[in-house]
């Protein structure tokens, strides 16, 4: 498919209701309002064309940018391309899902996560925490730096309630990820989750809720899923 053909398909798949929903959450024009599930049939057609996936992101259209994240080959992404993506991810769905998940499966996952987490830009920082979170979900424990993760848990414990809005949200998710995906640090993450308690995040005029980290981890434990990794975090 050509770029124009994909954009035409996205336009046909868009609905006003979905567009309004995305807009309430933070999406801006241009966008068609395509449900994530409706993007999946297009992924197969775009997936073999890295140049097309990159072109989709460059359109600045939210739906096309999200499709790019589902279709691109993370291992083929350069550091510069990923940096360009995070700089253009203007709202949390793109930053914390699209860019973070692709970066997490790239060759630059940890380098970029660390750099972005320290950013003064809220969206970039939240992307950094999400990148590390996604990295934990797909990486074997023996390849993880437990000492660094412990330091990050302590950082969250000390600073989360003073952090920027979306950074608070992604820090909370980081604690959940450690407690759920990293068996060797489960108890430590559970302790931190109890210490931080409820995290308040302004989610605007939406029905979104911030999960209580301790409860979420306990539910994963009850299902016998502690330490079970994902095959991919791109979704």
């Amino acid at each position: 498919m050509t770029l124009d053909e994909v954009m035409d398909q996205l336009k046909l798949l868009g609905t006003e209701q979905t567009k309004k929903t995305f807009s309430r959450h933070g999406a801006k024009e241009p966008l068609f309002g395509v449900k994530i599930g409706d993007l999946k049939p297009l992924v197969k057609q775009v997936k073999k064309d890295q140049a097309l996936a990159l072109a989709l992101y460059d359109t600045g259209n939210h739906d096309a940018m999200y499709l790019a994240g589902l279709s691109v080959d993370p291992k083929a992404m350069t550091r510069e391309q990923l940096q360009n993506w995070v700089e253009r991810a203007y709202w949390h769905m793109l930053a914390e899902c699209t860019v973070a998940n692709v970066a997490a499966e790239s060759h630059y996952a940890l380098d970029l996560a660390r750099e972005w987490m320290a950013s003064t830009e809220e969206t970039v920082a939240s992307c950094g925490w999400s990148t590390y979170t996604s990295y934990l979900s797909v990486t074997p424990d023996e390849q993880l730096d437990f000492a660094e993760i412990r330091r990050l848990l302590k950082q969250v414990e000390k600073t989360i309630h003073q952090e920027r809005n979306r950074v608070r949200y992604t820090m909370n998710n980081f604690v959940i990820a450690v407690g759920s995906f990293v068996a060797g640090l489960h108890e430590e993450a559970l302790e931190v989750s109890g210490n931080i308690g409820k995290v308040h995040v302004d989610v605007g005029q939406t029905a979104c809720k911030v999960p209580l980290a301790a409860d979420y981890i306990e539910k994963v434990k009850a299902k016998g899923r502690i330490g079970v990794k994902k095959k991919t975090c791109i979704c």
Side-chain angles (χ1 to χ4, degrees):
M1 297 181 74
T2 66
L3 177 61
D4 287 342
E5 288 172 338
V6 177
M7 295 303 291
D8 287 343
Q9 285 295 309
L10 289 173
K11 187 174 183 179
L12 290 173
L13 291 169
T15 67
E16 281 302 315
Q17 183 57 52
T18 302
K19 186 174 181 178
K20 289 178 181 177
T21 299
F22 284 161
S23 296
R24 282 200 306 272
H25 283 73
K28 301 175 183 178
E29 293 283 0
L31 75 159
F32 300 124
V34 184
K35 294 179 180 178
I36 306 305
D38 290 339
L39 291 176
K40 299 300 174 70
L42 286 175
V43 173
K44 294 180 180 179
Q45 300 180 61
V46 178
K47 202 165 188 178
K48 295 181 180 180
D49 192 334
Q50 186 79 351
L52 176 56
L54 294 172
L56 284 167
Y57 197 90
D58 285 343
T59 64
N61 177 289
H62 162 74
D63 306 292
M65 295 169 85
Y66 201 96
L67 177 60
L70 296 176
S71 310
V72 79
D73 177 1
K75 300 299 184 186
M77 292 289 282
T78 66
R79 199 181 204 287
E80 292 71 25
Q81 287 169 332
L82 289 165
Q83 186 62 41
N84 175 58
W85 275 32
V86 77
E87 290 171 2
R88 299 187 63 183
Y90 66 86
W91 74 294
H92 62 81
M93 186 171 174
L94 293 173
E96 297 167 18
C97 297
T98 300
V99 180
N101 290 342
V102 172
E105 294 193 20
S106 75
H107 295 297
Y108 311 97
L110 287 180
D111 285 346
L112 288 176
R114 293 164 182 149
E115 178 182 324
W116 293 344
M117 288 158 72
S119 175
T120 57
E121 295 291 333
E122 180 179 347
T123 304
V124 176
S126 69
C127 181
W129 282 97
S130 291
T131 298
Y132 211 124
T133 294
S134 293
Y135 178 78
L136 295 176
S137 74
V138 296
T139 305
D141 282 6
E142 58 267 24
Q143 296 178 25
L144 299 176
D145 184 341
F146 275 34
E148 178 176 64
I149 297 170
R150 285 191 175 100
R151 288 196 299 271
L152 291 172
L153 284 173
K154 289 299 181 183
Q155 179 181 338
V156 172
E157 186 175 22
K158 292 178 181 179
T159 68
I160 188 169
H161 296 295
Q162 291 77 47
E163 264 291 356
R164 293 151 289 178
N165 195 57
R166 292 304 305 186
V167 179
R168 292 198 297 275
Y169 187 88
T170 51
M171 278 183 160
N172 189 62
N173 283 347
F174 175 82
V175 175
I176 291 172
V178 177
S180 302
F181 293 112
V182 187
L185 295 175
H186 166 74
E187 293 297 336
E188 292 174 56
L190 192 58
E191 180 179 353
V192 170
S193 69
N195 291 339
I196 65 176
K198 185 174 179 59
V199 177
H200 297 279
V201 176
D202 182 1
V203 295
Q205 297 179 340
T206 73
C208 295
K209 296 181 180 180
V210 182
L212 192 63
D215 287 355
Y216 195 105
I217 295 171
E218 288 290 2
K219 288 178 181 178
V220 175
K221 183 178 181 179
K223 294 178 181 178
R225 302 284 296 175
I226 297 298
V228 178
K229 305 286 183 173
K230 297 180 180 179
K231 292 183 178 180
T232 178
C233 56
I234 294 176
C235 59

